[in-house]
Amino acid sequence: MTAGRFAPSPSGDLHVGNLRTAVLAWLHARRTDRAFLVRIEDLDRVKPGAEQRQLADLAALGLDWDGPVVRQSERARLYDAALASLAGRDLVYECFCTRREILDAPSAPHEPPGIYRGTCRNLSDSERSAQAAVRPAALRLRSGISDFTVQDELHGQYEGVVDDFVLRRGDGVVAYNLAVVIDDSHQGVDQVVRGEDLLPSAPRQAYLATLLGAEPPTYVHVPVAVNADGQRLAKRDGAVTYEQLQELGVDAMALIAESLGLAGSTMAELLDEYDPASLPRDPWVFVPPTG
């Protein structure tokens, strides 16, 4: 099976920008005769009831999905197996650095902030033991490269930094970059449509996929929704959720369709009109309506 997917974190209600990305992921998958999956990325930041409301909002817009909803919290066995496989090839090591220490470390010119410089890569056994007495270790990938290039349908070839990124955090929670690669590979997801703010993470994930013997997916990083100040849209920006828009009598689907230059009022109608080549390339400036 080949598939696209939408994979929200149940940290709260989806805002209209999230819903727009979900619509685009559905349209891209259906336009290319793929299945469409919904996965809940609930390894962290779970708000009670958020998953149910998110699924209800997707259904209210008319999105359907194939098969049951998958939750990352139910997939620990797959993540542990991947970590064991990488560790067996000496591609994992313990890291005791805090986030603050990493941010404060000297970096090379033009290097993005937060790039890991390999401080714990070659610790001796005694050094690891001493550090372990102070704080629990995260597990990092022992990367064999410094950059990797992916192909994106909207952005073309994109070359990004690949450092020794975290695979499992110090608190034992599997890191997003590992979980998403395992999930996509295991579920047959070969098309990833998501916000362009996640484009910098694609080279790391694609590289990890190759290490695990998986084919990296096709990437489509779409423009995100921003507020009037050009900042990423957030719930603090006003009436931005499906429920809030409904309460004001605003048709969320009509808003999303208009932002894509489409006139349809149902998912089926949008699919008939949708041409990926005509997708707007600029962020969608969303001004929340008032009552």
Side-chain angles (χ1 to χ4, degrees):
M1 179 182 72
T2 61
R5 48 81 163 172
F6 181 63
S9 298
S11 56
D13 292 353
L14 298 171
H15 61 60
V16 70
N18 305 137
L19 295 172
R20 182 179 188 255
T21 299
V23 167
L24 283 169
W26 187 94
L27 290 171
H28 246 74
R30 298 304 192 206
R31 174 61 71 188
T32 53
D33 296 320
R34 286 174 166 86
F36 181 70
L37 310 177
V38 172
R39 181 172 69 232
I40 303 297
E41 299 192 335
D42 61 345
L43 293 177
D44 198 10
R45 299 182 303 157
V46 175
K47 185 174 181 178
E51 176 189 329
Q52 291 73 24
R53 292 192 301 275
Q54 289 179 349
L55 295 176
D57 288 350
L58 294 176
L61 283 176
L63 274 76
D64 61 341
W65 49 87
D66 300 289
V69 173
V70 168
R71 296 167 186 83
Q72 286 184 332
S73 58
E74 301 167 352
R75 301 168 71 78
R77 177 181 57 83
L78 293 173
Y79 308 143
D80 290 345
L83 278 170
S85 172
L86 293 169
R89 295 153 57 194
D90 194 30
L91 294 176
V92 174
Y93 66 91
E94 292 181 316
C95 172
F96 303 92
C97 298
T98 66
R99 184 174 298 181
R100 174 48 54 191
E101 288 169 343
I102 294 168
L103 288 173
D104 289 345
S107 60
H110 312 299
E111 211 172 47
I115 293 297
Y116 188 65
R117 306 289 294 171
T119 306
C120 295
R121 192 181 233 252
N122 298 308
L123 294 179
S124 66
D125 291 343
S126 60
E127 288 171 327
R128 275 194 297 273
S129 296
Q131 292 280 11
V134 177
R135 64 172 68 101
L139 297 182
R140 287 187 180 271
L141 177 71
R142 191 183 299 275
S143 175
I145 62 174
S146 59
D147 53 71
F148 195 81
T149 300
V150 298
Q151 184 71 28
D152 184 273
E153 284 191 16
L154 298 182
H155 298 267
Q157 284 196 332
Y158 176 83
E159 183 180 13
V161 172
V162 177
D163 58 355
D164 290 359
F165 54 90
V166 171
L167 301 175
R168 192 181 71 195
R169 298 180 343 202
D171 60 4
V173 176
V174 172
Y176 169 75
N177 279 325
L178 174 66
V180 72
V181 169
I182 297 302
D183 291 336
D184 285 344
S185 175
H186 189 261
Q187 292 188 276
V189 171
D190 67 339
Q191 180 190 81
V192 171
V193 178
R194 59 188 181 184
E196 63 187 2
D197 55 314
L198 293 174
L199 179 59
S201 67
R204 289 185 177 96
Q205 293 164 13
Y207 173 61
L208 181 58
T210 64
L211 291 180
L212 292 168
E215 185 72 22
T218 298
Y219 291 106
V220 189
H221 287 88
V222 299
V224 298
V226 298
N227 62 21
D229 296 324
Q231 299 171 329
R232 282 188 60 195
L233 191 67
K235 298 179 186 70
R236 63 178 176 273
D237 289 316
V240 297
T241 69
Y242 183 85
E243 182 180 13
Q244 289 169 337
L245 293 171
Q246 232 183 359
E247 290 172 352
L248 292 173
V250 177
D251 187 336
M253 175 56 82
L255 277 177
I256 292 170
E258 182 182 8
S259 79
L260 299 174
L262 304 175
S265 58
T266 68
M267 293 302 297
E269 291 173 354
L270 295 187
L271 185 58
D272 285 340
E273 293 181 70
Y274 184 62
D275 177 7
S278 65
L279 181 68
R281 302 303 178 93
D282 296 323
W284 175 35
V285 180
F286 176 73
V287 179
T290 57

